[in-house]
Short mmCIF file of all heavy atoms in Angstrom, two decimals:
data_model
loop_
_atom_site.label_atom_id
_atom_site.label_comp_id
_atom_site.label_asym_id
_atom_site.label_seq_id
_atom_site.Cartn_x
_atom_site.Cartn_y
_atom_site.Cartn_z
N GLY O 5 -59.06 30.78 -77.51
CA GLY O 5 -57.98 29.86 -77.82
C GLY O 5 -56.70 30.11 -77.03
O GLY O 5 -55.73 29.39 -77.20
N ARG O 6 -56.68 31.11 -76.18
CA ARG O 6 -55.49 31.42 -75.38
C ARG O 6 -55.42 30.50 -74.16
O ARG O 6 -56.41 29.94 -73.74
CB ARG O 6 -55.53 32.86 -74.89
CG ARG O 6 -55.48 33.89 -76.00
CD ARG O 6 -55.32 35.29 -75.44
NE ARG O 6 -56.02 35.48 -74.17
CZ ARG O 6 -57.12 36.21 -74.02
NH1 ARG O 6 -57.66 36.80 -75.06
NH2 ARG O 6 -57.68 36.35 -72.84
N VAL O 7 -54.24 30.42 -73.59
CA VAL O 7 -54.06 29.68 -72.34
C VAL O 7 -54.45 30.60 -71.19
O VAL O 7 -54.06 31.77 -71.15
CB VAL O 7 -52.61 29.19 -72.20
CG1 VAL O 7 -52.38 28.57 -70.85
CG2 VAL O 7 -52.29 28.21 -73.32
N THR O 8 -55.26 30.07 -70.28
CA THR O 8 -55.78 30.83 -69.15
C THR O 8 -55.45 30.10 -67.85
O THR O 8 -55.49 28.88 -67.80
CB THR O 8 -57.32 30.95 -69.27
OG1 THR O 8 -57.63 31.53 -70.54
CG2 THR O 8 -57.90 31.79 -68.18
N SER O 9 -55.14 30.85 -66.83
CA SER O 9 -54.84 30.26 -65.52
C SER O 9 -56.15 29.85 -64.82
O SER O 9 -57.11 30.62 -64.81
CB SER O 9 -54.09 31.27 -64.66
OG SER O 9 -53.84 30.74 -63.39
N VAL O 10 -56.15 28.64 -64.26
CA VAL O 10 -57.30 28.15 -63.50
C VAL O 10 -56.78 27.54 -62.20
O VAL O 10 -55.88 26.70 -62.21
CB VAL O 10 -58.10 27.08 -64.28
CG1 VAL O 10 -59.20 26.47 -63.42
CG2 VAL O 10 -58.68 27.67 -65.55
N THR O 11 -57.35 27.97 -61.08
CA THR O 11 -57.03 27.36 -59.80
C THR O 11 -58.01 26.22 -59.58
O THR O 11 -59.22 26.43 -59.52
CB THR O 11 -57.15 28.39 -58.66
OG1 THR O 11 -56.22 29.45 -58.92
CG2 THR O 11 -56.85 27.76 -57.31
N LEU O 12 -57.46 25.01 -59.48
CA LEU O 12 -58.25 23.80 -59.26
C LEU O 12 -58.17 23.44 -57.78
O LEU O 12 -57.07 23.21 -57.25
CB LEU O 12 -57.73 22.66 -60.12
CG LEU O 12 -58.27 21.26 -59.84
CD1 LEU O 12 -59.78 21.20 -59.98
CD2 LEU O 12 -57.61 20.26 -60.78
N THR O 13 -59.31 23.41 -57.11
CA THR O 13 -59.37 23.02 -55.71
C THR O 13 -60.08 21.68 -55.61
O THR O 13 -61.19 21.52 -56.16
CB THR O 13 -60.13 24.07 -54.87
OG1 THR O 13 -59.47 25.34 -55.03
CG2 THR O 13 -60.16 23.69 -53.40
N LEU O 14 -59.45 20.73 -54.96
CA LEU O 14 -60.05 19.42 -54.71
C LEU O 14 -60.41 19.35 -53.23
O LEU O 14 -59.56 19.63 -52.37
CB LEU O 14 -59.08 18.30 -55.07
CG LEU O 14 -58.66 18.27 -56.53
CD1 LEU O 14 -57.52 17.26 -56.73
CD2 LEU O 14 -59.84 17.93 -57.42
N GLU O 15 -61.67 19.02 -52.96
CA GLU O 15 -62.15 18.94 -51.58
C GLU O 15 -62.62 17.52 -51.31
O GLU O 15 -63.62 17.07 -51.89
CB GLU O 15 -63.30 19.93 -51.36
CG GLU O 15 -62.88 21.38 -51.54
CD GLU O 15 -64.02 22.35 -51.37
OE1 GLU O 15 -65.19 21.91 -51.25
OE2 GLU O 15 -63.75 23.56 -51.37
N GLY O 16 -61.88 16.82 -50.48
CA GLY O 16 -62.24 15.45 -50.11
C GLY O 16 -62.89 15.40 -48.76
O GLY O 16 -62.49 16.10 -47.83
#
Side-chain angles (χ1 to χ4, degrees):
R6 296 188 326 251
V7 174
T8 304
S9 178
V10 174
T11 300
L12 170 58
T13 303
L14 299 171
E15 297 178 353

